[in-house]
Amino acid sequence: MAVTRDEVISWIKAYGQVITENKDYLTDLDSAIGDADHGANMHRGFLAVLAKLPAVEDKDIGTIFKTVGMALISTVGGAAGPLYGTFFIQAGTKLNGKMDLTLADWTAALDAGITGVVNIGKANVGDKTMVDALTPAIQALNGATGQELSMSDALKKSAKAAEEGMKGTIPLLAHKGRASYLGERSIGHQDPGATSSFLLLDTAANVWVNN
Amino acid sequence: MAVTRDEVISWIKAYGQVITENKDYLTDLDSAIGDADHGANMHRGFLAVLAKLPAVEDKDIGTIFKTVGMALISTVGGAAGPLYGTFFIQAGTKLNGKMDLTLADWTAALDAGITGVVNIGKANVGDKTMVDALTPAIQALNGATGQELSMSDALKKSAKAAEEGMKGTIPLLAHKGRASYLGERSIGHQDPGATSSFLLLDTAANVWVNN
Amino acid sequence: MKKLINKPEDVVLEELKGIEKAHPDLVKIHYAPDYIIRADAPVKGKVALISGGGSGHEPMHGGFVGMGMLDAACPGAVFTSPTPDQMLEATKAVDGGAGVLHIVKNYTGDVMNFQMAADMAKEEGIDVEAVVVDDDVAVKDSLWTAGRRGVGLTVLMEKLVGAAAEEKRPLKEIANLARKINGQGRSMGMALTSCTTPSAGKPTFDLPEDEMEIGVGIHGEPGRTRTKLQTADQITETLMKAIVDDLPFMSGDKVLLFVNGMGGTPLIELYIVYRKAVEIAEKAGLKVVRNLIGPYITSLEMAGTSITLLKMDDDLIKLWDAPVKTAGMRWGI
Amino acid sequence: MKKLINKPEDVVLEELKGIEKAHPDLVKIHYAPDYIIRADAPVKGKVALISGGGSGHEPMHGGFVGMGMLDAACPGAVFTSPTPDQMLEATKAVDGGAGVLHIVKNYTGDVMNFQMAADMAKEEGIDVEAVVVDDDVAVKDSLWTAGRRGVGLTVLMEKLVGAAAEEKRPLKEIANLARKINGQGRSMGMALTSCTTPSAGKPTFDLPEDEMEIGVGIHGEPGRTRTKLQTADQITETLMKAIVDDLPFMSGDKVLLFVNGMGGTPLIELYIVYRKAVEIAEKAGLKVVRNLIGPYITSLEMAGTSITLLKMDDDLIKLWDAPVKTAGMRWGI
Ligand SMILES: Nc1ncnc2c1ncn2[C@@H]1O[C@H](COP(=O)(O)OP(=O)(O)O)[C@@H](O)[C@H]1O
Ligand SMILES: Nc1ncnc2c1ncn2[C@@H]1O[C@H](COP(=O)(O)OP(=O)(O)O)[C@@H](O)[C@H]1O
Ligand SMILES: [Mg+2]
Ligand SMILES: [Mg+2]
Ligand SMILES: [Mg+2]
Ligand SMILES: [Mg+2]
């Protein structure tokens, strides 16, 4: 089964809600190894996204993704703004004209989005960034493509993989982003961006559970 | 019996010691209703006094008092510097050429010193200043003059009166000095200058106990 | 106590050494007694301006020594007025033959120490006038108290009177100008946190996380009221109302609006306060013709702000705009 | 959290309103997207300089907009780099036909956002060069990290390159000058206390009463080492040694010595640090030909200091002395 355009919108709205709920948590994570703003950044960005959504609710999914990406780029700032903005814009390029989303569509979109993030951020897996949550998620989806998994099961797998990737950032020494300034002292802390990325995929798995 | 010049010097040295011991206490009192420096001010002043003393140890008591006063004026600053400086200089004018101190000499000197303090500070009894400790002390001495009291008993009486005056500043509303800025909020705190004045007279009573 | 210092008793001396190394083009430092004078002092035929007070209010006063402002500053120990010998020696060092003005903030200690110095200088034949600044409306002015404190207006007076002195106006006129400025300027301050003097080593007052002091002094003297924390706008309204009502400033008045930082408050917050202060001033019909925003008269690392309003006229505006070249205030040159 | 603010989310907007009211002679403010430009922008035939970054570092960068320094500053949210549309619009607003230089501090977010803006501006036909400042020796420079942070040197670069732009030097030359400055300047900072961002509402890091962070960033990023409190002299030695050894600065070098306050540290302490820093510089044979002392690149109300050394030559000295007229730095005019 495929995710409808309206379910895509529900997912984005739900993620806005998740960000609001996790604002302080994300900021706390960023206090430990960054500059204590990741929660506020994501919150500001998704408030803007939610304000922009009504204007594109009847458009195709590609347009919606692009709109989300542009809103993030022009309101978030910091590292997260260009990274998440690029993620949505690049993912959106695979969804032009689409009114629903198959597992294959989603996989292609996610792959393009992550490629975009890596292109501008130059982070490798293991650098202690959002890439550490995103990459396992796409790998899980790629792995699922061969098997006869329902979309919702595939999403659950990818969210699970993202969660493990996120937790896996704890023992890492940061090589990218602000946490890298800390050197050894970055070890032992979970990366805030990996956390917000996990939450994004986890929200998808939760909202699109009937697919 | 009379207090010798050397006993006068012992008194000043002992007061220097008392100030060192009570530095934090005086500063704490000044924190509550002033600017937290009375202990440091008196300490700085009496360090300078102690450094100046050797040069005048063989001079008359008037010269010693004047030297103490000048040292205080040129090192203490704040309100305490001119007030205590004037106190010693004016008291000293009554002691020119003297090599010892009778009760009458001390009474005259104290009276002149206090008059000097009142002249430049314009504080009345009840204004919550050092005058509230000094004035009862001189009154006690004046009262003692008629009676057949030993000098040491008279000094004890005056120290006791100073102590009561000092404690009596607690319920007062300040009209002079920095505490007056506090208005009603100055009530309930003991005046730091009254405290250092009590200590001065108390040290005299203790050091000159055999007279 | 968290401070970038070595020994508490060396703070003022080491600060002076730093200033000496930093600004040899502007000032010379004299030690024991300590004072800071213009590098080109004495300036012949110019009234010399001297101020001073306890240290801990930097850049005031040492940072205001130089062309167009002070000729000398006498730094006391932290929060303790300087001693008469400092002012006397400084007076002698900067007198250029046209007399000397002492700018004295109204604290018992400052007034007494400056008075002693002035008496001694006069005995030595120097023409000395003294002006006492007492602009703090937080303190009730009364015959029965030490009167109002001198706070933010001092900075403005030093600039304005400094410019008048550069014009070679005579001592009497300069002193009267200073008194006029004192008559038409008012200030009030507040603190979010206490300061800690180096020698005490602990905060002068304890302020719970949700409270503030309104009407605090620049020496960490507790204010007149302690209240729950409020927004910047509410605080600004409280300060502005007290100031405007006191003079009172009247609709149509031209004013200089000075939003001062107490030392621990960053500039970003001062602009937020300034924004509201202007709004209030304009609502009251005042014309804000000049302004000053920043930490100019501080109270060590205390967080908080003070606002000063000074009624301006064309002469004062001209004096304000005149060139000034000091470490703490500079323009036009 | 004790701050003179209203709502955390309004801090930057209200600060901009304050700046707008305070300095109409110097700057104009554009809202949504937010940027500050010179009152006389665009200046025909002059290379325009733009910088920007998260707010909370005032007076940098908004306070440095004006004659002889920046043409525009783009303020992000507190400690968050601005977004590309701010830089794009500011670029268009100040381009005087001679091209635009983006001065970018080396943080992942700043670099990415400025890069996007530059790409868009180039598409619109504007000649844009970008220079990345990365002077913080506290961070190991390595291919495997985000590299060094841009800190205190940014202030010096904005002044120096601003003066060069006033001389109408061409964009390529200006960009190369900026890169040269970046190549010969180094900085390091430390914190006695943490800052608190308005939106987080609590300190970014907890620092016990007897500890400090050495090598802290200007966003309250924890430093590389946490140690017991030390004296000002010991701290100054640590910072100076790391800085001098890194370039390395060599005996005979002329340098500009910049002692910066982090926002909550009063000037009196900065002079104590300066005193020791000069002593160390001179012992190493360096000639301190210019200096800057004060809170120029702050981290909200964080207590602490940073030191920047920049190797000078005659051209740089001339550019440093050239007139500058901004809210945060002014001389010669
Ligand atoms: N080069 C990069 N590539 C991928 N992700 C990155 C990179 N740099 C930083 N990040 C992510 O961004 C997160 C921080 O975002 P945020 O706090 O909003 O921005 P900033 O670091 O500018 O304050 C980090 O936790 C990390 O996951
Ligand atoms: N006008 C005055 N007359 C007499 N004593 C005064 C007067 N003003 C202040 N004092 C005394 O000085 C004391 C404060 O001294 P100190 O703290 O050293 O000076 P400052 O107030 O300048 O900081 C007060 O406690 C008070 O006893
Ligand atoms: Mg962050
Ligand atoms: Mg005191
Ligand atoms: Mg004092
Ligand atoms: Mg950030």
Side-chain angles (χ1 to χ4, degrees):
Chain A
M1 261 180 65
V3 167
T4 64
R5 192 253 331 268
D6 289 353
E7 286 173 312
V8 167
I9 288 173
S10 301
W11 164 58
I12 294 165
K13 288 186 177 163
Y15 186 59
Q17 187 59 36
V18 167
I19 285 296
T20 302
E21 284 156 15
N22 287 278
K23 188 177 161 217
D24 292 346
Y25 172 54
L26 293 172
T27 290
D28 283 350
L29 292 175
D30 199 26
S31 296
I33 54 171
D35 59 350
D37 63 358
H38 189 57
N41 290 347
M42 295 299 284
H43 184 64
R44 186 173 56 251
F46 276 85
L47 281 188
V49 164
L50 296 183
K52 285 272 163 70
L53 272 186
V56 291
E57 267 176 355
D58 55 354
K59 297 276 158 47
D60 66 288
I61 299 176
T63 302
I64 292 169
F65 265 62
K66 191 173 171 214
T67 304
V68 170
M70 297 291 285
L72 292 176
I73 286 180
S74 69
T75 56
V76 176
L83 291 167
Y84 276 110
T86 300
F87 173 84
F88 276 96
I89 290 171
Q90 291 302 321
T93 60
K94 301 290 167 187
L95 305 171
N96 284 333
K98 292 203 190 293
M99 300 307 278
D100 50 28
L101 213 59
T102 64
L103 180 54
D105 292 335
W106 173 242
T107 305
L110 202 57
D111 193 55
I114 295 171
T115 303
V117 167
V118 170
N119 278 343
I120 68 162
K122 312 255 180 322
N124 297 309
V125 170
D127 282 353
K128 197 176 183 110
T129 71
M130 57 175 67
V131 171
D132 291 325
L134 293 172
T135 303
I138 187 73
Q139 284 167 348
L141 285 184
N142 284 332
T145 319
Q147 303 163 37
E148 289 295 297
L149 277 184
S150 70
M151 182 154 181
S152 83
D153 283 346
L155 290 171
K156 266 184 219 142
K157 272 201 151 188
S158 85
K160 188 88 200 109
E163 185 172 19
E164 273 158 29
M166 167 189 87
K167 288 190 181 148
T169 62
I170 298 177
L172 294 176
L173 184 129
H175 291 300
K176 281 282 180 286
R178 220 170 273 280
S180 71
Y181 306 139
L182 276 169
E184 302 284 332
R185 288 176 77 189
S186 64
I187 293 172
H189 300 278
Q190 182 172 311
D191 180 62
T195 309
S196 54
S197 286
F198 154 69
L199 291 172
L200 183 71
L201 300 175
D202 190 50
T203 306
N206 291 334
V207 174
W208 299 337
V209 70
N210 296 323
N211 292 281
Chain B
M1 263 179 62
V3 167
T4 65
R5 192 253 330 268
D6 289 354
E7 286 174 312
V8 167
I9 289 173
S10 300
W11 164 58
I12 294 164
K13 287 184 178 164
Y15 185 58
Q17 188 58 37
V18 166
I19 286 296
T20 302
E21 284 156 15
N22 287 279
K23 189 178 160 216
D24 291 347
Y25 172 54
L26 293 172
T27 290
D28 283 350
L29 291 174
D30 199 27
S31 296
I33 54 171
D35 58 350
D37 63 357
H38 190 57
N41 289 347
M42 295 300 283
H43 183 65
R44 186 173 56 249
F46 276 85
L47 280 188
V49 164
L50 296 184
K52 286 272 162 70
L53 272 187
V56 292
E57 266 175 355
D58 55 354
K59 299 274 160 48
D60 66 287
I61 299 176
T63 302
I64 292 169
F65 266 64
K66 192 175 169 213
T67 304
V68 170
M70 297 290 285
L72 293 175
I73 286 179
S74 69
T75 56
V76 176
L83 290 167
Y84 276 109
T86 300
F87 173 84
F88 275 96
I89 290 171
Q90 290 303 320
T93 60
K94 302 290 168 189
L95 305 171
N96 283 334
K98 292 204 190 291
M99 301 306 278
D100 50 26
L101 214 60
T102 64
L103 180 54
D105 292 335
W106 173 243
T107 305
L110 203 58
D111 193 55
I114 295 171
T115 303
V117 167
V118 170
N119 278 342
I120 67 162
K122 313 253 177 330
N124 297 309
V125 170
D127 282 353
K128 198 177 184 110
T129 71
M130 57 175 66
V131 171
D132 291 325
L134 293 172
T135 302
I138 186 72
Q139 284 165 348
L141 284 184
N142 284 331
T145 318
Q147 303 163 37
E148 290 296 298
L149 275 184
S150 73
M151 182 153 179
S152 82
D153 283 346
L155 289 171
K156 267 185 218 141
K157 273 201 149 186
S158 85
K160 187 89 204 114
E163 185 171 18
E164 274 158 27
M166 168 189 87
K167 288 190 180 148
T169 62
I170 296 177
L172 294 176
L173 184 128
H175 290 300
K176 281 283 179 285
R178 218 171 274 280
S180 72
Y181 306 139
L182 276 170
E184 302 283 334
R185 288 175 78 189
S186 65
I187 292 172
H189 300 278
Q190 183 171 308
D191 181 61
T195 308
S196 55
S197 286
F198 154 68
L199 292 172
L200 183 71
L201 300 175
D202 190 50
T203 306
N206 292 334
V207 173
W208 300 337
V209 71
N210 296 322
N211 292 281
Chain C
M1 173 175 53
K2 291 195 151 180
K3 289 182 187 293
L4 292 166
I5 63 171
N6 295 298
K7 280 183 277 162
E9 55 275 26
D10 293 340
V11 163
V12 175
L13 180 69
E14 293 186 351
E15 179 215 7
L16 290 177
K17 298 253 180 218
I19 293 175
E20 183 173 33
K21 277 291 188 182
H23 309 299
D25 50 324
L26 299 173
V27 297
K28 282 184 295 202
I29 313 280
H30 189 281
Y31 297 97
D34 299 343
Y35 54 85
I36 304 174
I37 59 174
R38 274 173 71 152
D40 59 350
V43 184
K44 276 255 147 55
K46 186 185 90 70
V47 169
L49 306 187
I50 299 189
S51 193
S55 293
H57 308 300
E58 292 68 22
M60 187 184 84
H61 300 275
F64 299 147
V65 175
M67 203 286 278
M69 224 162 157
L70 298 177
D71 293 80
C74 301
V78 170
F79 290 175
T80 303
S81 78
T83 61
D85 48 329
Q86 293 175 262
M87 277 80 92
L88 175 63
E89 293 304 316
T91 300
K92 291 197 269 183
V94 299
D95 178 31
V100 180
L101 181 73
H102 287 180
I103 298 179
V104 187
K105 299 190 301 304
N106 188 37
Y107 300 93
T108 306
D110 292 67
V111 170
M112 288 192 299
N113 284 286
F114 263 103
Q115 179 65 51
M116 287 185 167
D119 290 348
M120 294 188 263
K122 281 177 200 159
E123 267 171 39
E124 301 198 24
I126 301 178
D127 203 4
V128 176
E129 288 256 2
V131 173
V132 176
V133 194
D134 61 345
D135 55 316
D136 190 347
V137 305
V139 176
K140 271 207 214 96
D141 200 4
S142 140
L143 278 179
W144 313 109
T145 68
R148 286 179 164 174
R149 297 176 287 222
V151 287
L153 187 60
T154 319
V155 176
L156 308 183
M157 185 187 289
E158 290 175 5
K159 165 67 185 92
L160 293 163
V161 173
E166 290 303 332
E167 290 182 355
K168 303 272 164 84
R169 298 192 196 177
L171 179 58
K172 282 270 161 327
E173 200 181 315
I174 299 261
N176 285 335
L177 175 67
R179 288 185 193 110
K180 168 180 133 174
I181 291 166
N182 190 54
Q184 58 197 49
R186 295 292 186 273
S187 301
M188 185 151 145
M190 59 77 57
L192 293 169
T193 63
S194 174
C195 49
T196 297
T197 64
S199 67
K202 58 184 183 200
T204 301
F205 51 91
D206 288 317
L207 206 45
E209 187 52 33
D210 60 340
E211 295 186 5
M212 61 180 181
E213 286 277 347
I214 293 281
V216 81
I218 56 168
H219 306 91
E221 307 101 320
R224 284 193 73 105
T225 49
R226 180 171 289 198
T227 67
K228 290 281 159 198
L229 272 187
Q230 296 178 342
T231 64
D233 283 2
Q234 290 168 321
I235 291 166
T236 307
E237 263 166 25
T238 302
L239 300 183
M240 283 293 287
K241 182 166 175 17
I243 293 166
V244 170
D245 289 356
D246 187 273
L247 192 62
F249 289 88
M250 313 278 259
S251 181
D253 281 354
K254 291 180 193 167
V255 295
L256 187 158
L257 171 54
F258 170 27
V259 173
N260 176 61
M262 288 296 196
T265 283
L267 203 50
I268 187 169
E269 298 178 28
L270 299 183
Y271 276 105
I272 292 174
V273 171
Y274 182 79
R275 173 196 122 271
K276 185 67 185 178
V278 172
E279 190 187 304
I280 295 167
E282 287 174 351
K283 218 174 268 170
L286 310 183
K287 293 195 185 70
V288 180
V289 294
R290 291 294 182 274
N291 61 55
L292 186 68
I293 302 160
Y296 290 96
I297 167 172
T298 59
S299 184
L300 294 171
E301 77 288 28
M302 191 160 91
T305 188
S306 67
I307 296 179
T308 300
L309 270 183
L310 170 63
K311 200 165 133 180
M312 300 293 276
D313 55 34
D314 291 346
D315 185 41
L316 291 181
I317 292 174
K318 193 191 72 181
L319 293 171
W320 182 256
D321 292 342
V324 58
K325 186 174 176 180
T326 70
M329 205 182 279
R330 183 162 172 190
W331 56 75
I333 183 167
Chain D
M1 174 175 53
K2 291 195 151 179
K3 288 181 186 293
L4 293 165
I5 63 171
N6 295 298
K7 279 183 277 163
E9 56 273 28
D10 292 340
V11 163
V12 175
L13 180 69
E14 293 186 351
E15 179 215 6
L16 290 177
K17 298 250 181 224
I19 293 175
E20 183 172 35
K21 276 291 187 183
H23 309 299
D25 51 325
L26 299 174
V27 297
K28 283 184 295 203
I29 313 280
H30 188 280
Y31 298 97
D34 299 343
Y35 55 86
I36 304 174
I37 59 174
R38 276 174 69 152
D40 58 351
V43 183
K44 275 257 148 55
K46 186 184 90 69
V47 169
L49 305 188
I50 299 189
S51 194
S55 292
H57 308 300
E58 292 66 23
M60 187 184 86
H61 301 273
F64 299 147
V65 175
M67 203 286 278
M69 227 163 153
L70 298 178
D71 293 79
C74 301
V78 171
F79 290 174
T80 303
S81 78
T83 60
D85 47 330
Q86 293 175 261
M87 277 80 92
L88 175 63
E89 292 306 317
T91 300
K92 290 198 268 183
V94 299
D95 179 31
V100 180
L101 181 72
H102 287 181
I103 298 179
V104 187
K105 299 192 298 307
N106 189 36
Y107 300 92
T108 306
D110 293 67
V111 170
M112 288 191 301
N113 284 287
F114 263 103
Q115 179 66 50
M116 286 183 167
D119 290 347
M120 293 187 262
K122 282 177 200 162
E123 267 170 40
E124 300 197 23
I126 302 178
D127 203 2
V128 176
E129 286 257 0
V131 173
V132 175
V133 194
D134 61 346
D135 55 317
D136 190 345
V137 304
V139 176
K140 274 208 213 96
D141 200 5
S142 139
L143 278 179
W144 313 108
T145 68
R148 287 180 161 173
R149 296 176 288 222
V151 287
L153 187 61
T154 318
V155 176
L156 308 184
M157 185 186 290
E158 290 175 5
K159 165 67 185 91
L160 293 163
V161 173
E166 282 317 321
E167 290 181 356
K168 304 270 165 83
R169 297 190 195 177
L171 179 58
K172 281 271 162 330
E173 201 181 317
I174 299 258
N176 285 335
L177 174 68
R179 288 183 194 112
K180 168 180 133 176
I181 291 166
N182 189 54
Q184 59 196 49
R186 294 291 186 274
S187 301
M188 185 153 146
M190 58 78 57
L192 292 169
T193 63
S194 174
C195 49
T196 296
T197 64
S199 68
K202 59 184 183 202
T204 302
F205 50 91
D206 287 316
L207 205 46
E209 186 52 33
D210 62 339
E211 295 186 4
M212 61 182 182
E213 285 278 346
I214 294 281
V216 81
I218 56 168
H219 307 90
E221 307 100 322
R224 284 193 71 104
T225 48
R226 180 173 289 197
T227 66
K228 290 281 159 197
L229 271 188
Q230 296 180 342
T231 64
D233 283 2
Q234 290 169 320
I235 291 166
T236 307
E237 264 166 24
T238 302
L239 300 182
M240 284 292 286
K241 183 165 171 23
I243 293 166
V244 170
D245 288 357
D246 187 273
L247 191 62
F249 291 87
M250 313 279 259
S251 180
D253 281 353
K254 292 181 193 165
V255 295
L256 187 157
L257 171 54
F258 170 27
V259 173
N260 176 61
M262 288 295 197
T265 284
L267 204 49
I268 187 169
E269 298 178 28
L270 300 183
Y271 277 104
I272 293 174
V273 170
Y274 183 78
R275 175 195 121 273
K276 186 65 185 177
V278 172
E279 190 187 304
I280 295 167
E282 287 174 350
K283 218 173 268 168
L286 310 182
K287 293 196 186 69
V288 180
V289 294
R290 292 294 182 275
N291 61 55
L292 186 68
I293 302 160
Y296 290 96
I297 166 170
T298 60
S299 184
L300 295 170
E301 78 288 28
M302 190 160 89
T305 187
S306 67
I307 297 179
T308 300
L309 271 183
L310 171 62
K311 200 165 133 182
M312 300 291 277
D313 55 34
D314 292 346
D315 185 42
L316 291 180
I317 292 175
K318 193 190 72 184
L319 293 171
W320 182 256
D321 291 342
V324 58
K325 186 174 177 181
T326 70
M329 204 182 281
R330 181 161 174 192
W331 56 75
I333 183 165

